[in-house]
């Protein structure tokens, strides 16, 4: 039996998490595994109910379960709160830190049925399957910040901290993933300017000897941004620090046509954190327009990485592919001649295909 903490959060979060829960239940039916799920508050929803975006009760639930499934947090309603109470800085980042999930895996896969949904030419993106490994608990996101008044305005300081150990542990994950995939790892940095990047490159290079079967290369982040739109098929696993990874993973996501398709897994501590790569999309919240596939694919990652249920993960992924191949679409990936579905209808189809393969 596995315990899963559900954190639906804000905006479209509750809608997409509801569909992912249905898929978990269908996995349970088909494979005979038992999941205990309990729901807790996070983000703006938690702030409205309790006065804090990450209540103690939610933290306890996250530390005591096997895996966390998060929808999304944030929205215009909470944008003007003091920064430590805003859903992003007050809930999401502290949760990542609390769970010590230092390795964020963001796969960007172009499904055959959706090749035309990309804004890039089909021959550039066809068959794309990239895994971005983003360091998630260090760097500029977590360093000391300071703002002071000076004549004529302000002076701000942001600190970028990395230790050898922090770089090493996330790099090992990336080497190991590369080993299970096509054995190509590209480490992305800005070693021509930043001291943190110079250390990053040294540490990654020193690990390469332990993974002689993995072909390691280094690329500067500006070049990588360019190469991702010029020739993304050259990449397999991309490894990078927190802020570069934030930016490059959105870019990689868009190569696939819609960020509504992209799952993520954050690993490292004892409890895995799974969430779609997209945000809370307040503009379409509550309208049944959200694409639940990113969250459902996050469940597939949970089955694979936390529960070791590879067969169940494959079943969910296959159900998603089948739904797409049969022409089912949510608005974000709609094309002429396809069948437009609501969030719930898309969930229903994927549930059906997960149970009846
Ligand atoms: C992400 C998001 C977050 C980040 C925001 C919401 C704080 O953009 O998960 O990529 O920057 O990490
Ligand atoms: Mg981001």
């Amino acid at each position: 039996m596995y315990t899963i903490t559900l954190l639906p959060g804000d905006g479209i979060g509750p809608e997409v998490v509801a569909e992912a829960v249905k898929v978990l239940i269908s996995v349970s039916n088909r494979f005979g595994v038992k999941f205990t799920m309990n729901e807790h508050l996070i983000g703006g929803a938690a702030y409205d109910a309790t006065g804090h975006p990450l209540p103690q009760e939610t933290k306890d639930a996250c530390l005591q379960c096997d895996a966390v499934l998060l929808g999304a947090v944030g929205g215009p309603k909470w944008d003007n709160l003091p920064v430590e109470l805003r859903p992003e800085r007050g809930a999401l980042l502290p949760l990542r830190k609390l769970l010590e999930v230092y390795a964020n895996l963001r796969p960007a896969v172009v499904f055959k049925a959706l090749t035309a949904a990309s804004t890039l030419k089909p021959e550039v993106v066809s068959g794309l399957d990239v895994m971005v490994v983003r360091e998630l608990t260090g760097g500029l996101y977590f360093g000391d910040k300071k703002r002071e008044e000076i004549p004529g305005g302000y002076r701000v300081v942001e600190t970028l901290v990395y230790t050898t150990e922090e770089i090493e542990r996330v790099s090992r994950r990336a080497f190991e993933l590369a080993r299970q995939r096509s054995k190509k790892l590209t480490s992305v940095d800005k070693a021509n300017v930043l001291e943190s990047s110079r250390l990053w490159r040294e540490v990654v290079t020193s690990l390469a000897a332990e993974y002689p079967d993995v072909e390691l290369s280094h690329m500067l982040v500006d070049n990588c941004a360019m190469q991702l739109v010029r020739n993304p098929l050259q990449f397999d696993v991309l490894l990078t620090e927190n802020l570069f990874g934030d930016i490059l993973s959105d870019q990689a996501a868009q190569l696939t046509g819609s960020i509504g398709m992209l799952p993520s897994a954050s690993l490292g501590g004892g409890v895995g954190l799974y969430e779609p790569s997209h945000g809370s999309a307040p503009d379409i919240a509550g309208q049944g327009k959200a694409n639940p596939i990113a969250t459902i694919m996050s469940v597939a990652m949970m089955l694979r990485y936390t529960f070791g249920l590879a067969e169940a993960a494959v079943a969910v992924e296959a159900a998603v592919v089948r739904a797409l191949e049969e022409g089912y679409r949510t608005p974000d990936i709609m094309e002429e001649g396809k069948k437009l579905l609501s969030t719930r209808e898309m969930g229903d189809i994927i549930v059906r295909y997960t149970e009846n393969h």
Side-chain angles (χ1 to χ4, degrees), residues 103-117:
N104 179 221
L105 277 45
R106 297 189 166 182
V109 175
V110 171
F111 293 97
K112 212 147 120 227
L114 287 186
T115 308

Side-chain angles (χ1 to χ4, degrees), residues 106 134 246 250:
R106 297 189 166 182
R134 166 189 178 193
D246 177 45
D250 266 27

Side-chain angles (χ1 to χ4, degrees), residues 37-248:
M37 298 183 240
N38 45 65
E39 200 175 304
H40 291 271
L41 291 166
I42 194 167
Y47 174 79
D48 288 347
T50 72
H52 197 280
L54 186 63
Q56 186 61 43
E57 187 218 24
T58 300
K59 289 199 249 182
D60 293 342
C62 290
L63 286 170
Q64 283 156 19
C65 65
D66 297 304
V68 178
L69 182 65
L70 173 68
V73 297
K77 186 175 170 201
W78 306 283
D79 275 351
N80 298 319
L81 288 173
V83 73
E84 68 283 358
L85 291 176
R86 284 184 48 176
E88 297 85 352
R89 281 267 294 276
L92 189 57
L93 302 191
L95 180 63
R96 290 172 178 172
K97 199 73 174 178
L98 178 78
L99 297 177
E100 275 188 274
V101 283
Y102 55 80
N104 179 221
L105 277 45
R106 297 189 166 182
V109 175
V110 171
F111 293 97
K112 212 147 120 227
L114 287 186
T115 308
S118 177
T119 46
L120 272 74
K121 294 192 191 102
E123 63 268 29
V124 175
V125 293
S126 166
L128 182 81
D129 181 355
V130 175
M131 177 71 87
V132 179
V133 179
R134 166 189 178 193
E135 201 292 326
L136 201 62
T137 51
L140 276 173
Y141 275 65
F142 292 94
D144 286 341
K145 301 170 196 300
K146 193 170 74 184
R147 175 195 281 252
E148 58 190 0
E149 258 183 84
I150 56 167
Y154 294 95
R155 178 173 178 274
V156 296
V157 182
E158 308 250 1
T159 333
L160 200 175
V161 184
Y162 271 116
T163 62
T164 300
E165 197 231 326
E166 285 174 307
I167 300 169
E168 205 178 296
R169 61 188 188 176
V170 68
S171 301
R172 283 194 188 281
R173 294 269 175 167
F175 273 109
E176 272 148 31
L177 272 169
R179 186 168 256 178
Q180 290 157 22
R181 294 167 52 103
S182 74
K183 301 185 168 46
K184 255 181 69 184
L185 174 62
T186 309
S187 174
V188 180
D189 62 38
K190 188 70 185 172
N192 53 348
V193 177
L194 301 178
E195 194 54 32
S196 54
S197 283
R198 291 167 55 87
L199 180 62
W200 186 277
R201 197 176 277 219
E202 279 165 39
V203 173
V204 176
T205 303
S206 72
L207 284 180
E210 290 177 45
Y211 302 89
D213 50 326
V214 176
E215 185 195 321
L216 169 69
S217 57
H218 302 275
M219 191 177 275
L220 296 172
V221 62
D222 50 349
N223 185 26
C224 182
M226 180 177 75
Q227 295 297 336
L228 265 177
V229 287
R230 196 187 73 91
N231 175 21
L233 296 176
Q234 69 185 284
F235 297 116
D236 183 31
V237 179
L238 283 172
L239 163 67
T240 192
E241 64 89 52
N242 204 345
L243 182 63
F244 296 162
D246 177 45
I247 299 165
L248 293 179

